[in-house]
Amino acid sequence: RTDGSAEETGPVGAVPQRSPMHADAVTAVAALKPDLCVSGGKDKSVVVCNWRSGAVLRRFTGHEREITKVTCAPDSNRAFSASRDKTVIMWEFHGNSGPRQHFPGHDLVVTGLAVSPDASCLCTGSRDNTICKWDVETGERLGRAGISRNLVTHLCWVPGEPYIVQASEDKTIRMWDSRELQVAHMFPGKRHIQTCCDVSQDGRYCVSGSGGSNGEGCEATLWDLRQTRSRVREYRGHFQTVASCVFLPRGLAPAPVIATASSDCKVKIWDQDSGGRT
């Protein structure tokens, strides 16, 4: 818990043990509902499970290589998975277990997925330096844009806006206008690869994670998306690459908080406004 208190069911640090959901390493996880999550693994499968009970509700197979990203459409019963087989598949939780829609078209591994707020469009990014926009229902590719050396690492759709935030191995964070697939803004470059990103629910801020080692780099950065479109602050304290960063739901702590996970085997919770660890 962010306030440091113990769970009522046991001491601090007690972690319930569950049966494995995958036959190999888990490579991607996304929240579906408060008690449900979607995961993808090296075993090429996508699993919908109740994380409280550990029960597997659905298991989907259809990719030829390991899963790299999973995401869920807002307020729907659909999930999307990207794979090293260069494709994206849409799954529906009700009905048969086969793919509902395929989105082929990238030349290299797909490393970014983002669904529009109205769940009508999907944006994908790849190590082939391109991002693509797709019609969710028909699978039609609506647009494709490429930038040299723009190896996509993560994509996030800004809530209520036509903009997509993208992290890249070229050390930059870009904001794309999804209507024409054009770069609307590029934030000042960092010193290390930007590995991940997330957008706050109010659409005001973006947080990105940085590669690094031995404490060099390894920070998370808060960016203003609406007014100055500049760097707000940095969160430093990890000793290896920040592999994931998220805005936690409001109400978990008195002030807005951000969580970061790192290759140094630690998860840290940060006060968004002060930059201090909670």
Side-chain angles (χ1 to χ4, degrees):
R1 292 175 181 255
T2 56
D3 60 4
S5 64
E7 290 280 356
E8 294 179 0
T9 55
V12 174
V15 179
Q17 298 298 309
R18 309 295 189 196
S19 298
M21 305 295 175
H22 292 272
D24 206 332
V26 177
T27 53
V29 177
L32 174 60
K33 294 179 181 179
D35 58 345
L36 299 180
C37 69
V38 179
S39 61
K42 282 191 174 182
D43 60 4
K44 301 176 282 189
S45 70
V46 176
V47 172
V48 181
C49 73
N50 184 309
W51 64 266
R52 294 181 185 274
S53 68
V56 173
L57 306 182
R58 297 299 300 270
R59 184 182 300 275
F60 303 106
T61 57
H63 283 292
E64 296 179 357
R65 299 187 65 185
E66 73 176 76
I67 310 301
T68 55
K69 300 282 185 179
V70 291
T71 192
C72 303
D75 301 318
S76 78
N77 291 307
R78 292 174 168 174
F80 300 82
S81 58
S83 168
R84 289 189 177 276
D85 64 12
K86 310 174 189 177
T87 68
V88 173
I89 294 178
M90 181 174 74
W91 313 92
E92 289 190 338
F93 306 142
H94 304 299
N96 64 56
S97 59
R100 172 65 174 79
Q101 191 64 264
H102 285 84
F103 305 90
H106 283 290
D107 298 324
L108 293 173
V109 54
V110 180
T111 49
L113 286 178
V115 186
S116 63
D118 64 1
S120 66
C121 294
L122 174 71
C123 188
T124 61
S126 168
R127 292 185 63 83
D128 64 8
N129 303 323
T130 69
I131 69 168
C132 295
K133 179 183 174 183
W134 310 84
D135 184 294
V136 165
E137 294 297 334
T138 67
E140 177 187 1
R141 190 171 69 185
L142 304 176
R144 187 174 190 265
I147 297 176
S148 177
R149 301 179 66 185
N150 181 37
L151 282 74
V152 177
T153 57
H154 206 89
L155 293 172
C156 293
W157 211 297
V158 180
E161 300 286 347
Y163 297 111
I164 302 158
V165 176
Q166 179 230 317
S168 173
E169 284 195 11
D170 69 2
K171 307 176 185 179
T172 64
I173 299 294
R174 292 179 174 86
M175 188 159 64
W176 294 80
D177 187 326
S178 67
R179 292 166 292 192
E180 301 295 334
L181 274 192
Q182 295 181 344
V183 176
H185 184 72
M186 187 167 71
F187 292 94
K190 300 280 290 179
R191 295 182 61 187
H192 296 81
I193 289 171
Q194 297 302 282
T195 59
C196 53
C197 59
D198 191 33
V199 176
S200 60
Q201 283 300 306
D202 59 12
R204 294 182 58 190
Y205 298 104
C206 167
V207 62
S208 67
S210 178
S213 62
N214 299 320
E216 176 64 27
C218 315
E219 75 274 1
T221 305
L222 186 69
W223 307 92
D224 187 330
L225 295 181
R226 294 200 172 176
Q227 296 182 358
T228 61
R229 289 191 173 178
S230 61
R231 185 176 67 188
V232 178
R233 64 180 49 84
E234 292 183 337
Y235 308 95
R236 293 183 175 274
H238 285 296
F239 291 93
Q240 298 295 331
T241 291
V242 175
S244 181
C245 55
V246 293
F247 290 92
L248 294 181
R250 292 297 183 96
L252 292 180
V257 287
I258 292 170
T260 57
S262 168
S263 298
D264 63 11
C265 305
K266 295 184 183 298
V267 174
K268 296 182 184 290
I269 308 295
W270 310 86
D271 182 298
Q272 176 182 313
D273 297 329
S274 70
R277 279 176 277 177
T278 63

